[in-house]
């Protein structure tokens, strides 16, 4: 199972992060309109990402804390997301959906997301990715901290919950 060291931060807008990524010559993959459909599972999270750039079934487990955190992720590319959605909905039930516009960038093995999430606002995410499970987790955490600092993200901007949890909490109010 690949390991990520990641953070998510709520920001007022995306322009500063975009300018910083451009100044670092980050590779821009594109802007994706995504719908993440979350299914009911006993542990972790299972979501089907449906976008034009990214289409995958994703299972992850992580501690929900407002810090740099480890996330264990399985990602399975899919072609026919609608049929898979119907199958998983029938078997597991849908927990909820997240609609977002996502800009995707890479610097080396680190993936950056600049997200505009419907009903929530703007977020910056960084995932230091280790597909081989060989890299030192402490080095991965240090690299994530470097990117957090470079993006001028303060501790009080870090978000512990998933987008779905934030949406569910907002709907409960």
């Amino acid at each position: 199972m690949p390991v990520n060291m990641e953070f998510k931060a709520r920001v007022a807008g995306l322009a500063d992060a975009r300018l910083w990524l451009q100044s670092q010559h980050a590779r821009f993959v594109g802007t994706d309109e995504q719908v993440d459909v979350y299914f009911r599972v006993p542990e972790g999270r299972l979501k089907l990402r449906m976008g034009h750039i990214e289409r995958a079934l994703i299972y992850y487990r992580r501690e929900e804390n407002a810090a740099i955190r480890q996330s264990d992720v399985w990602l399975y590319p899919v072609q026919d997301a609608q049929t898979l959605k119907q199958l998983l909905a029938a078997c597991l039930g849908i927990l909820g959906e997240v609609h977002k516009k996502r800009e995707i960038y890479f610097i080396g093995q680190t993936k950056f997301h600049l997200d505009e999430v419907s009903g929530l606002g703007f977020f910056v995410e960084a995932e230091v990715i280790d597909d081989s499970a060989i890299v030192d987790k402490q080095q991965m955490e240090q690299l994530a901290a470097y990117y957090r600092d470079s993006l001028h993200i303060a501790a009080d901007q870090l978000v512990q919950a998933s987008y779905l949890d934030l949406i569910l909490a907002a709907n409960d109010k």
Side-chain angles (χ1 to χ4, degrees), residues 113-160:
H113 304 142
L114 305 185
D115 291 338
E116 182 177 353
V117 182
S118 295
L120 295 178
F122 301 103
F123 295 84
V124 173
E125 292 183 329
E127 301 174 347
V128 180
I129 302 167
D130 176 23
D131 291 329
S132 66
I134 295 173
V135 174
D136 183 304
K137 290 179 187 174
Q138 185 176 16
Q139 288 177 336
M140 292 173 68
E141 187 173 359
Q142 289 171 347
L143 185 56
Y146 166 78
Y147 287 131
R148 182 198 59 215
D149 294 344
S150 296
L151 289 161
H152 304 289
I153 293 173
D156 65 351
Q157 291 177 282
L158 295 174
V159 177
Q160 75 179 28

Side-chain angles (χ1 to χ4, degrees), residues 11-26:
V11 294
L14 301 174
D16 290 343
R18 185 180 302 112
L19 286 173
W20 183 82
L21 286 163
Q22 290 169 348
S23 77
Q24 301 302 302
H25 307 289

Side-chain angles (χ1 to χ4, degrees), residues 95-97 118-120 164-173:
L95 184 59
E97 291 188 5
S118 295
L120 295 178
L164 179 64
D165 290 334
L166 294 172
I167 289 170
L168 293 174
N171 290 341
D172 285 345
K173 292 181 181 179

Side-chain angles (χ1 to χ4, degrees), residues 24-69:
Q24 301 302 302
H25 307 289
R27 181 172 57 90
F28 178 59
V29 175
T31 301
D32 205 6
E33 298 279 340
Q34 298 180 344
V35 176
D36 288 346
V37 181
Y38 287 78
F39 300 95
R40 298 182 187 281
V41 293
E43 179 186 350
R45 288 294 170 103
L46 180 67
K47 65 184 173 183
L48 179 60
R49 173 157 300 145
M50 299 185 298
H52 299 289
I53 297 172
E54 296 180 326
R55 288 173 304 284
L57 183 64
I58 304 164
Y59 175 77
Y60 67 90
R61 290 187 309 238
R62 69 172 178 230
E63 289 185 35
E64 298 294 340
N65 58 51
I68 293 171
R69 58 195 174 192

Side-chain angles (χ1 to χ4, degrees), residues 47-108:
K47 65 184 173 183
L48 179 60
R49 173 157 300 145
M50 299 185 298
H52 299 289
I53 297 172
E54 296 180 326
R55 288 173 304 284
L57 183 64
I58 304 164
Y59 175 77
Y60 67 90
R61 290 187 309 238
R62 69 172 178 230
E63 289 185 35
E64 298 294 340
N65 58 51
I68 293 171
R69 58 195 174 192
Q70 179 177 328
S71 182
D72 301 318
V73 180
W74 281 338
L75 187 138
Y76 183 77
V78 298
Q79 295 300 316
D80 185 357
Q82 286 300 329
T83 300
L84 184 56
K85 176 185 174 184
Q86 291 174 349
L87 172 70
L88 292 171
C91 296
L92 302 171
I94 293 177
L95 184 59
E97 291 188 5
V98 174
H99 297 256
K100 64 183 175 287
K101 181 177 165 185
R102 168 171 281 180
E103 295 176 40
I104 304 165
Y105 295 84
F106 277 91
I107 297 175

